[in-house]
Amino acid sequence: MTQASQDGGKDCVAFKDGNKFFVEVKHWNGEIGRVLLQKLIGACIGDSANKAIFITTSWYNSNAIEYAEKIDWLELWDMNDILQILYNTDVKKVPWIMSKSMEYTEEDVLDSVKGFGDKVENFNKNMDKQFR
């Protein structure tokens, strides 16, 4: 994770299979436009990252979508993608995943998310009912 402000256009730096990923996350109510995507892409180019993921709880406007379609190593995730990931995640693995991706022990995560598994399981059951 990067610092809260002046993060250089990315919130998270990840490495996998020799690839460097930059992730930008926006918890917004308004639309995400091309300018924010360009900032992330500029950060990737400047710091030699070869994959970018922009995640938002909001939505992307048409300029952002058109821009992203031109860059094959840029992924756009919105709330639907986030919900799908949650739906497909075994909630029993969440503490382990968090302990591996952040500087927490599995016990720290379990203590901080007591009841989270029940909430996600209820969410999954509700999703099952809605999409049958």
Side-chain angles (χ1 to χ4, degrees):
M1 300 304 235
T2 62
Q3 59 192 22
S5 63
Q6 297 180 351
D7 58 16
K10 75 268 186 202
D11 291 321
C12 180
V13 179
F15 299 89
K16 183 177 180 186
D17 300 328
N19 293 306
K20 186 178 186 179
F21 296 76
F22 280 2
V23 180
E24 179 70 4
V25 180
K26 294 290 184 200
H27 181 219
W28 281 13
N29 291 325
E31 67 184 19
I32 301 295
R34 178 183 177 132
V35 171
L36 291 171
L37 301 182
Q38 288 174 317
K39 184 177 176 184
L40 176 60
I41 295 304
C44 289
I45 292 169
D47 292 329
S48 302
N50 49 7
K51 178 89 172 160
I53 303 171
F54 199 107
I55 303 171
T56 184
T57 55
S58 179
W59 65 93
Y60 299 95
N61 68 22
S62 59
N63 289 335
I65 293 169
E66 289 172 16
Y67 178 71
E69 288 173 349
K70 297 175 186 176
I71 302 170
D72 63 350
W73 46 274
L74 169 62
E75 291 184 27
L76 302 183
W77 296 9
D78 62 13
M79 197 62 196
N80 290 329
D81 298 306
I82 295 167
L83 291 174
Q84 190 64 43
I85 289 167
L86 283 174
Y87 181 73
N88 291 326
T89 300
D90 179 355
V91 295
K92 293 176 182 82
K93 293 182 181 176
V94 170
W96 181 84
I97 293 167
M98 291 179 70
S99 73
K100 298 302 177 198
S101 61
M102 300 177 199
E103 294 182 11
Y104 299 107
T105 66
E106 192 168 346
E107 291 78 24
D108 291 337
V109 175
L110 286 169
D111 286 343
S112 66
V113 296
K114 284 184 180 164
F116 176 74
D118 293 335
K119 291 177 186 177
V120 174
E121 285 179 17
N122 288 336
F123 170 80
N124 286 343
K125 288 175 186 174
N126 289 334
M127 291 287 284
D128 283 339
K129 290 176 189 174
Q130 288 179 9
F131 294 104
R132 283 185 195 191

